[in-house]
Amino acid sequence: LVVGQMTLSGQSSAYDDGMEISLRAVQRDEFKQFINTITAAFAEEATDEELEHGFKLLDPNRALAALDGDSMVGVAGAFDFVVTVPGPNKVRAAGVTVVGVLPSHRRRGILTRMMEHQLEDIHTRGEPIAILGASESNIYQRFGYGIATLQSSIDIERDRAGFRTAIPASGRFRLLDTDKAIDVLADVYDRVCAQTPGMYERTRAWWEHHSLHDSEPHRHGGGPLFRAVWELDGRPEAYALYRDRRDFDWRHGVPTGHLHVLEAMGTSPLATREIWSFIFGIDLTERIRADREAGLPPLMFMLDEPRRLRISLSDGIYVRIVDIKSALEARSYLADGSVVFEVNDAQLPHNNGRWKVDVSGGRATVEKTSSEPDIITAITDLGSVYLGGFTFAQMSIGDSLHEAVPGALRRADQIFRTDVQPWCPEEF
Ligand SMILES: CC(C)(COP(=O)(O)OP(=O)(O)OC[C@H]1O[C@@H](n2cnc3c(N)ncnc32)[C@H](O)[C@@H]1OP(=O)(O)O)[C@@H](O)C(=O)NCCC(=O)NCCS
């Protein structure tokens, strides 16, 4: 089934090379080619195991390929996600993934066509939003994806990782075998996910083939994955996934191990603290690193020397509002009030125009209106404020959102503000 065909010739002088590219969903027997195309776009090679695992998680109907004749030259995929949004509430979302174009075919508009096609498809499927993590931050804003969370890396010497206050030890720790881990970890994850905008539900297959996947190439030179859990009154309340970096040495007789924490979370501040105190207690470790902490990591408020975390901040996940009405009605709000947005969406025309967001009892009714706008914005900026990671006032610092009525930014921020920091702890 050819879902779209484009002749690049004549579209613009930059892309004028007469190449004919067709877009279509891949067939099951083309899936290996699909995975080989995405790994080649990243200048890597897929292992047999990776080829098999990728197949289990990605629905071929959501695996889009760009073909130059018979050759697959570009790919883009999407997972079926259910994402937590402020309230907390849950919303169906496309988890955009495996996006790449071969180096031989770049800067000819192939990604642009794939993104346009994929957004139409997401809309047809009735998913109000799409989310993604970007390999480079200059790629997706042009397609309406706004930076929606911040994430931080931390890197701390173990002997400087002391807590501000001492508390009596409680609960117990266990290391989990792979075959028993999923149920225990999911018990914690599901509860944290349900409270945290930006996190998505994990299926059993996702745990098995993604979060706990531990093949040699997946380790990037590190050691095997360990799974530690903290239980209180017999119930798991926090866990950590970590591996050692394999750069262990005894320099001058002193151990220099580095620990890489892939994920650490707890259902309460106490549980979060306990699992980090477990990590800081792992012997023969000199430094501890974690790369996908929340923008303001909880440890910042717990440690005696927060500066020693060496926090480095960057863009986290991006949110694309695919359908304004269903997206804004899917989350809830802490204050009632109303605001009219004039929205500019270059890819999805149904979002264009003026929308009145009327919040009463914490729920929004969103309708097209002919009223004068309070705020004029690109769809990108609405994606940035959606999870509560950024305010309208902050977005107005850029050049694609501004207030048309004095005081409108403040009014909108009172309505949209949230009290939970959005966070997505995993790459997908
Ligand atoms: C990112 C990538 C998919 C872009 O594909 P592409 O087909 O070259 O993109 P397009 O030709 O549609 O580019 C659209 C616009 O975005 C710009 N752009 C896209 N990717 C860019 C990048 N990585 N750096 C700078 N500009 C980029 C293009 O210059 C172009 O701008 P223009 O419209 O002003 O001319 C491709 O470079 C790639 O595969 N990179 C390696 C893998 C990767 O990073 N994938 C993304 C995973 S999240």
Side-chain angles (χ1 to χ4, degrees):
L1 171 75
V2 176
V3 291
Q5 192 140 32
M6 59 173 172
T7 305
L8 292 171
S9 173
Q11 282 195 332
S12 75
S13 55
Y15 300 148
D16 187 3
D17 56 9
M19 186 182 284
E20 280 209 9
I21 299 290
S22 56
L23 298 188
R24 62 169 171 77
V26 300
Q27 319 287 323
R28 276 198 171 263
D29 61 359
E30 291 174 316
F31 219 78
K32 290 201 167 157
Q33 205 186 342
F34 180 88
I35 299 209
N36 281 326
T37 307
I38 185 61
T39 44
F42 280 92
E44 288 168 0
E45 192 178 38
T47 62
D48 289 347
E49 198 188 0
E50 283 173 328
L51 290 167
E52 199 189 322
H53 280 158
F55 184 67
K56 283 183 180 141
L57 290 177
L58 194 64
D59 172 0
N61 292 318
R62 303 204 75 167
L64 180 67
L67 291 115
D68 178 3
D70 291 341
S71 309
M72 206 177 282
V73 295
V75 291
F79 297 117
D80 302 334
F81 276 171
V82 175
V83 173
T84 305
V85 298
N89 295 282
K90 301 261 190 171
V91 65
R92 286 173 56 222
V96 173
T97 186
V98 289
V99 174
V101 171
L102 294 183
S104 50
H105 286 69
R106 284 181 191 155
R107 307 303 181 264
R108 293 174 170 88
I110 294 177
L111 174 70
T112 305
R113 298 301 297 262
M114 290 197 300
M115 286 284 110
E116 288 166 355
H117 178 80
Q118 190 186 52
L119 284 170
E120 288 293 347
D121 181 58
I122 294 166
H123 181 80
T124 307
R125 288 168 185 270
E127 291 162 332
I129 62 168
I131 67 170
L132 57 76
S135 63
E136 295 195 81
S137 53
N138 58 0
I139 301 176
Y140 293 103
Q141 296 190 77
R142 75 188 74 231
F143 304 121
Y145 288 84
I147 301 172
T149 65
L150 289 172
Q151 74 182 33
S152 59
S153 301
I154 58 175
D155 184 357
I156 184 167
E157 306 103 312
R158 188 167 80 95
D159 62 1
R160 302 306 288 250
F163 289 91
R164 281 167 58 200
T165 53
I167 54 164
S170 59
R172 68 164 191 158
F173 296 98
R174 279 196 300 141
L175 291 181
L176 301 170
D177 293 336
T178 325
D179 53 337
K180 306 226 175 59
I182 295 180
D183 290 336
V184 178
L185 300 177
D187 188 7
V188 176
Y189 180 89
D190 291 349
R191 283 179 286 155
V192 178
C193 170
Q195 298 299 324
T196 312
M199 287 177 70
Y200 49 82
E201 290 179 359
R202 289 179 183 169
T203 60
R204 230 185 150 72
W206 188 274
W207 278 106
E208 217 173 300
H209 302 300
H210 193 81
S211 308
L212 298 180
H213 183 51
D214 190 32
S215 64
E216 193 62 42
H218 215 74
R219 293 179 183 173
H220 300 290
L225 186 73
F226 284 91
R227 302 148 294 271
V229 61
W230 180 71
E231 290 166 327
L232 188 64
D233 301 327
R235 184 163 189 196
E237 299 291 346
Y239 71 78
L241 307 178
Y242 62 93
R243 60 173 94 250
D244 102 28
R245 301 250 318 271
R246 285 285 161 91
D247 46 6
F248 184 80
D249 197 5
W250 291 94
R251 238 166 281 143
H252 308 291
V254 177
T256 60
H258 289 191
L259 209 70
H260 188 189
V261 177
L262 301 162
E263 201 162 278
M265 66 181 75
T267 57
S268 66
L270 172 67
T272 305
R273 174 186 163 134
E274 287 292 343
I275 202 66
W276 278 105
S277 78
F278 171 85
I279 292 162
F280 296 148
I282 295 176
D283 290 335
L284 308 182
T285 299
E286 186 188 33
R287 305 189 72 89
I288 291 130
R289 199 188 94 196
D291 290 329
R292 295 189 64 88
E293 284 298 292
L296 286 175
L299 282 173
M300 170 134 177
F301 307 101
M302 297 178 177
L303 294 192
D304 182 36
E305 284 191 279
R307 193 188 303 165
R308 292 273 167 177
L309 287 166
R310 293 179 177 75
I311 295 175
S312 124
L313 202 59
S314 72
D315 48 322
I317 57 165
Y318 290 65
V319 167
R320 207 316 171 172
I321 305 280
V322 175
D323 185 77
I324 288 183
K325 181 176 167 61
S326 56
L328 295 187
E329 289 181 352
R331 54 159 281 186
S332 34
Y333 300 82
L334 288 178
D336 290 353
S338 88
V339 54
V340 174
F341 295 102
E342 184 171 302
V343 177
N344 170 18
D345 187 329
Q347 287 81 27
L348 296 171
H350 62 262
N351 284 331
N352 281 324
R354 293 177 185 173
W355 295 90
K356 184 170 189 194
V357 179
D358 220 334
V359 177
S360 168
R363 300 306 304 205
T365 308
V366 181
E367 300 295 349
K368 275 255 163 108
T369 180
S370 52
S371 304
E372 289 302 308
D374 297 309
I375 291 177
I376 299 171
T377 179
I379 194 74
T380 318
D381 301 82
L382 273 188
S384 290
V385 297
Y386 185 65
L387 296 178
F390 297 94
T391 64
F392 287 102
Q394 286 166 334
M395 299 322 295
S396 74
I397 297 168
D399 56 9
S400 52
L401 179 145
H402 63 272
E403 63 183 3
V405 172
L409 291 174
R410 178 173 295 177
R411 178 154 44 92
D413 277 330
Q414 277 165 355
I415 298 170
F416 276 71
R417 91 188 153 78
T418 63
D419 52 10
V420 183
Q421 176 180 214
W423 179 43
C424 184
E426 183 175 56
E427 263 178 35
F428 57 88

